[in-house]
Amino acid sequence: MLNNLETIFDNMVEMMKKLKKKSYEANMKRFLEKNQHYFVEMTEYMDAAEDKDAAAKEIATVFADTVEDAFGKGDKKKIPSRTQADVNFFMIYYVFPAILKTGHEHCRLVADSICAEWKKRFKDSAIGYTDYDSLYKAFREKVFGIF
């Protein structure tokens, strides 16, 4: 399930640089064009599952495992604090909005499961989520006027 998921993080650094309203819109469009198949796969997996909670937890585990494998260092796969912060923001700005954009009946269950796994797995990473439109509206020229 979700083979090669680590590729969604390929342009993470570039996509988070100088994030403004126009660049966020363009970045999200490119992100979805490249990665939409992962989000479709998640919805299909949820549709096929009898136990929706267990399926959502499996998706969350795959996401956390992928991040540990892609960014972790050493035997314990410890992720440097700065990298973890970058991944957290990337999840908030791109991954969660993409999950919610599917409009699938269980998309919030998947997002909630990922948040719960994140908090459990990664230090100082109690992240939340919102939808793309809410994030986009929060931008003026710069995100919340601070970048």
Side-chain angles (χ1 to χ4, degrees):
M1 174 176 53
L2 301 173
N3 293 330
N4 302 312
L5 183 64
E6 68 279 357
T7 62
I8 70 169
F9 299 99
D10 283 352
N11 297 316
M12 180 177 72
V13 174
E14 288 302 313
M15 292 172 69
M16 296 303 292
K17 278 186 185 176
K18 299 180 183 175
L19 199 55
K20 298 180 181 179
K21 194 169 195 165
K22 282 187 178 184
S23 63
Y24 179 58
E25 182 178 26
N27 288 348
M28 179 57 96
K29 183 179 178 188
R30 280 190 303 275
F31 178 77
L32 288 173
E33 286 170 358
K34 179 181 177 263
N35 299 297
Q36 186 68 35
H37 63 282
Y38 291 117
F39 304 106
V40 169
E41 185 178 346
M42 284 183 234
T43 62
E44 290 171 350
Y45 189 75
M46 291 299 290
D47 285 340
E50 286 186 34
D51 185 343
K52 304 300 184 196
D53 289 329
K57 287 177 184 172
E58 286 178 50
I59 292 169
T61 299
V62 169
F63 261 97
D65 289 347
T66 297
V67 167
E68 280 184 340
D69 291 343
F71 300 103
K73 307 270 190 232
D75 293 338
K76 294 185 180 182
K77 296 185 181 176
K78 172 125 174 71
I79 300 172
S81 308
R82 177 65 190 163
T83 302
Q84 185 66 60
D86 289 344
V87 172
N88 291 351
F89 278 115
F90 189 81
M91 293 291 292
I92 292 165
Y93 279 103
Y94 295 101
V95 176
F96 288 123
I99 291 169
L100 298 179
K101 264 186 169 296
T102 67
H104 189 267
E105 64 180 310
H106 299 294
C107 65
R108 290 198 178 272
L109 175 59
V110 171
D112 288 340
S113 295
I114 292 171
C115 285
E117 183 68 21
W118 226 252
K119 182 178 181 181
K120 196 169 65 176
R121 185 92 64 105
F122 303 116
K123 184 181 175 187
D124 299 324
S125 293
I127 60 176
Y129 63 88
T130 191
D131 62 274
Y132 171 80
D133 292 330
S134 296
L135 275 171
Y136 184 76
K137 288 175 188 169
F139 282 92
R140 290 191 178 86
E141 175 56 24
K142 301 176 182 177
V143 66
F144 305 117
I146 58 175
F147 288 136

